[in-house]
Amino acid sequence: MLDKYKKMSTPAKAAIWFAICGILQKGIQFITTPIFTRLLTTEQYGDVSTYLSWYNILTIFLTLNLFYGGFNNGMVRYEDRRDEYLSSMQGLVTATTGILYIIYLLTRNFWNNIFEMDSWMVSVMFVEILFHSALSFWSARERFEYRYKKLIIYTLLVASVPSIAAIIGILIAPSDVAYETKVFLNALFVVILCSPLYLHNVFKGHSFYNRDFWRFGLKFNVPLIPHYLSGIILNQADRIMIKRMIGSSEAGIYSLAYSASMVLNVVTNAINQSFAPWIYGKLKKEEYDDIPKVTTPIFAFTAVMIMALVAFAHECVIIFGGSAYKDAIWIIPSVAASLYFNFAFQIFANVEFYYMKNTYITYASISGAILNIILNYFGIRLFGYIAAGYTTLICYILFAVSHAFFVKKVAKENIDGKKVFNTKAVFFDWRGISCFQSVDAIGL
């Protein structure tokens, strides 16, 4: 096995280590989630989950998600000026965060009422998002260039140290401020750990502002804000709506089920992030036939992992939360199934990103988000908070189907309709597929 590993290509090694890193990252969450669910009441855990939901929503507006799909395009487009490009993108995020924070301060009472948080907590959120963006930019660069050693160490540090500090803080602090303690200490140690990366990103390229880079970043990502926001709504709006319509305790139970269901999300994200540069390379070289040989078995393997997770839903709930969260078992199957279709969308979107067909992504995302809010509103009212899991599944199925159609359209417009994915296999026609085909296809 060691000899086999030594003969692997650099992208293949990186893909393996990124997946391992994702598993270890989620393993840390495995360890800490049961601790937090027992140190916090279901209401406090629901408040923490709602805070994280607003954090993810606000991240889109402060950072424009410049470290996602558009960043890889920038790495290709400005291949000889990558340090400058990275520095400029960090500068752009710093500027947008500063401007939006000033706007928040001028109208803070309005926003505090929406967030259901105090001013100091919202301020903490702004600072944490800014410094965590440095890790996101640096990680995106490391992944694109297949450098995984430092990335794994730093990612695991940021995943573990803030959580450990929060646990110690909650044990020391009065129980009635456990929620606030967790939020503050988690943010504090994220800032401490990510500050060196922020300084590295800003000063290595010596280009805080570059008109061409800023224009490219804004032109690529601003039209995608509805898409990114829609994705967050699909993932996070249900918790916010459950808290407002039913209560914090029910939001906490749903969040526990969602966390248990999303245990494989880090793995699928790592797979996509690792294979995105590879897919870009294949599209650039016009080697289209290699893509389905790799992605089809990956889809089958992902589905099998999700089915295994559902089979152990009861055990996951007991381990993660205990008897107080027993109703979460009825939420796991629907939310876990939605993970497969979310993964399908991520893989499809790489082709749309490469050919800069961002409008297709935006159309599907906005439609899915609006549908999700509508279905959540009526579903939660009629059937309770468990319905939110099934509304999420419905929306992700439609999401994946629409992007499969858009990829076919993009292929027709740009590469004479050549087949990039085995769509039938993506939607569960796996006859004749071996789980080792992806290994053979990239020369492992």
Side-chain angles (χ1 to χ4, degrees):
M1 291 179 64
L2 185 60
D3 290 338
K4 187 82 170 177
Y5 173 79
K6 290 178 179 179
K7 295 176 182 178
M8 288 181 181
S9 62
T10 300
K13 289 180 180 178
I16 290 173
W17 281 109
F18 291 152
I20 292 174
C21 182
I23 294 171
L24 293 175
Q25 223 179 345
K26 189 56 69 172
I28 293 171
Q29 186 176 337
F30 258 136
I31 297 171
T32 57
T33 296
I35 298 174
F36 284 126
T37 55
R38 287 162 175 82
L39 292 177
L40 304 172
T41 65
T42 54
E43 290 83 3
Q44 289 172 331
Y45 189 73
D47 289 335
V48 169
S49 300
T50 305
Y51 172 89
L52 293 175
S53 296
W54 283 119
Y55 176 97
N56 290 325
I57 292 173
L58 201 59
T59 295
I60 294 172
F61 295 101
L62 269 59
T63 69
L64 306 178
N65 277 359
L66 289 166
F67 34 74
Y68 281 161
F71 187 83
N72 287 338
N73 286 57
M75 289 289 99
V76 174
R77 182 167 181 166
Y78 304 109
E79 184 175 0
D80 298 328
R81 304 173 66 189
R82 288 177 178 174
D83 288 339
E84 294 176 60
Y85 177 74
L86 174 60
S87 178
S88 187
M89 290 299 98
Q90 187 69 74
L92 179 54
V93 167
T94 303
T96 55
T97 301
I99 292 171
L100 291 177
Y101 185 64
I102 292 173
I103 294 174
Y104 160 73
L105 290 177
L106 296 175
T107 56
R108 60 182 177 275
N109 291 332
F110 171 78
W111 293 109
N112 291 348
N113 182 55
I114 292 177
F115 296 146
E116 296 183 291
M117 286 183 255
D118 296 330
S119 296
W120 74 266
M121 190 171 289
V122 179
S123 298
V124 165
M125 188 186 296
F126 269 83
V127 175
E128 183 179 0
I129 290 172
L130 173 61
F131 282 91
H132 196 274
S133 71
L135 175 63
S136 299
F137 278 121
W138 180 77
S139 299
R141 171 79 180 271
E142 296 296 292
R143 288 180 185 277
F144 189 87
E145 296 178 348
Y146 304 115
R147 297 194 296 256
Y148 50 85
K149 295 180 181 178
K150 292 181 181 178
L151 174 60
I152 291 172
I153 295 172
Y154 224 104
T155 301
L156 294 180
L157 278 175
V158 175
S160 59
V161 174
S163 295
I164 294 171
I167 291 171
I168 296 173
I170 293 172
L171 290 171
I172 297 173
S175 59
D176 59 337
V177 293
Y179 155 54
E180 292 83 356
T181 301
K182 182 189 185 309
V183 168
F184 176 75
L185 288 177
N186 191 86
L188 175 63
F189 280 88
V190 166
V191 171
I192 291 173
L193 290 170
C194 293
S195 293
L197 294 181
Y198 179 84
L199 296 175
H200 172 273
N201 293 347
V202 170
F203 292 111
K204 186 175 183 181
H206 301 288
S207 179
F208 185 88
Y209 169 76
N210 181 291
R211 182 180 177 182
D212 292 336
F213 295 159
W214 279 33
R215 179 183 294 176
F216 173 77
L218 292 172
K219 183 178 179 181
F220 192 100
N221 280 74
V222 169
L224 284 171
I225 287 179
H227 156 65
Y228 289 130
L229 185 60
S230 300
I232 293 297
I233 289 174
L234 280 171
N235 287 322
Q236 309 290 342
D238 40 16
R239 277 162 274 194
I240 296 173
M241 294 180 73
I242 289 171
K243 180 181 178 180
R244 286 186 174 272
M245 296 173 67
I246 302 179
S248 296
S249 181
E250 288 76 9
I253 294 172
Y254 183 88
S255 297
L256 186 281
Y258 206 95
S259 297
S261 302
M262 292 293 111
V263 66
L264 298 176
N265 194 41
V266 172
V267 179
T268 56
N269 283 341
I271 292 173
N272 179 57
Q273 290 168 354
S274 302
F275 277 98
W278 180 84
I279 290 175
Y280 274 44
K282 290 297 179 180
L283 292 173
K284 185 176 182 179
K285 296 176 184 177
E286 300 183 357
E287 297 173 351
Y288 310 115
D289 292 339
D290 288 345
I291 296 176
K293 293 177 183 177
V294 175
T295 55
T296 299
I298 288 175
F299 280 118
F301 178 66
T302 301
V304 171
M305 287 194 298
I306 291 171
M307 287 187 281
L309 175 64
V310 173
F312 290 94
H314 178 265
E315 288 76 12
C316 287
V317 171
I318 296 301
I319 293 171
F320 267 72
S323 58
Y325 295 84
K326 64 184 181 205
D327 289 341
I329 188 175
W330 306 111
I331 304 169
I332 288 180
S334 58
V335 177
S338 68
L339 174 62
Y340 176 85
F341 296 100
N342 180 41
F343 177 63
F345 145 69
Q346 290 178 334
I347 296 295
F348 291 155
N350 289 318
V351 176
E352 297 169 68
F353 278 133
Y354 180 82
Y355 292 107
M356 300 187 72
K357 299 297 183 179
N358 301 353
T359 52
Y360 294 154
I361 298 174
T362 302
Y363 293 152
S365 301
I366 293 175
S367 301
I370 293 173
L371 179 62
N372 184 250
I373 292 175
I374 295 172
L375 291 178
N376 272 341
Y377 179 80
F378 290 104
I380 293 171
R381 281 188 176 276
L382 293 173
F383 305 106
Y385 67 96
I386 292 176
Y390 292 92
T391 62
T392 300
L393 175 58
I394 292 170
C395 291
Y396 271 120
I397 291 174
L398 295 176
F399 214 37
V401 170
S402 62
H403 280 288
F405 171 78
F406 288 141
V407 166
K408 188 175 181 179
K409 183 175 176 61
V410 169
K412 186 176 181 180
E413 294 173 350
N414 294 272
I415 53 178
D416 298 325
K418 295 186 182 297
K419 193 174 183 179
V420 183
F421 298 105
N422 185 346
T423 308
K424 288 184 178 180
V426 172
F427 294 102
F428 309 117
D429 184 0
W430 300 333
R431 289 171 293 182
I433 296 174
S434 166
C435 65
F436 296 103
Q437 284 179 4
S438 60
V439 176
D440 296 334
I442 54 178
L444 302 189

